[in-house]
Amino acid sequence: MKTAILYYSFNGATRTEAAKRAASTGADVYEVLEAKKRRLFSAFLVGCPQALGRKASAIKPLDIDWSLYDSVTLMAPVWAGHPAPAFNAALELIPKDKLLHIALTSGGGETPKSKEATIDLLRKQGFTLASYEDVKSGQPPKKA
Ligand SMILES: Cc1cc2nc3c(=O)[nH]c(=O)nc-3n(C[C@H](O)[C@H](O)[C@H](O)COP(=O)(O)O)c2cc1C
């Protein structure tokens, strides 16, 4: 059985990290795209409050045969200290019987404001969380 890597990337850093992991593990990769292309201004003005409130953004449909996978790695950037809203949307798609790995990229490489609550939330939602990883992309938040 294989691993599916689902990732959302606004500026490309998470995409690069997902591709690196796929190349070294042979996992299949799926990009999560927001239904409406976001601009930097909207990422800060709308996206950050959404991330803080753990709201899901609208995403494009993904065609995934989940029966091929026993584990899923969900990757997304950190916005305002929290997973970006597309992370919350992608979570709604992942069947609960998959072993879940989380990897969040951020400029600082830490999620002290949200890590424990994210882990709690995932467990409450019925996921089996295999790992939670903060990845330092070294790419600081750009100015809106
Ligand atoms: C709207 C916005 C908010 C961000 N907030 C944070 C933050 O709170 N902490 C942090 O370390 N990095 C923050 N960043 C930086 C991104 O998390 C980091 O550059 C990430 O690796 C970008 O991934 P991407 O290129 O795949 O979009 C923010 C970036 C954006 C665009």
Side-chain angles (χ1 to χ4, degrees):
M1 288 284 252
K2 292 185 76 173
T3 297
I5 298 177
L6 263 68
Y7 75 90
Y8 166 75
S9 181
F10 180 64
N11 271 323
T14 313
R15 181 180 300 114
T16 302
E17 185 63 33
K20 219 191 290 174
R21 286 165 188 240
S24 67
T25 61
D28 292 339
V29 198
Y30 299 90
E31 182 169 12
V32 176
L33 292 167
E34 290 193 312
K36 188 164 177 258
K37 186 148 175 53
R38 217 183 259 278
R39 293 182 185 279
L40 189 58
F41 188 67
S42 150
F44 278 96
L45 203 74
V46 182
C48 285
Q50 283 179 326
L52 281 164
R54 302 209 181 255
K55 300 272 186 282
S57 54
I59 58 171
K60 292 188 177 171
L62 272 172
D63 188 14
I64 299 176
D65 178 356
W66 293 107
S67 69
L68 297 175
Y69 306 107
D70 55 3
S71 72
V72 175
T73 301
L74 179 57
M75 303 183 65
V78 170
W79 287 1
H82 292 66
F87 170 96
N88 301 312
L91 265 185
E92 292 173 7
L93 305 178
I94 301 171
K96 302 287 196 293
D97 63 339
K98 310 299 172 194
L99 206 56
L100 184 64
H101 297 264
I102 298 297
L104 299 171
T105 77
S106 62
E110 290 181 338
T111 42
K113 290 186 205 159
S114 60
K115 179 175 176 175
E116 291 311 318
T118 301
I119 291 171
D120 253 26
L121 194 76
L122 293 170
R123 297 221 164 106
K124 278 187 187 129
Q125 287 180 358
F127 287 105
T128 305
L129 187 63
S131 67
Y132 178 108
E133 207 183 328
D134 282 313
V135 181
K136 186 171 181 158
S137 67
Q139 193 175 286
K142 296 186 177 160
K143 295 244 160 31

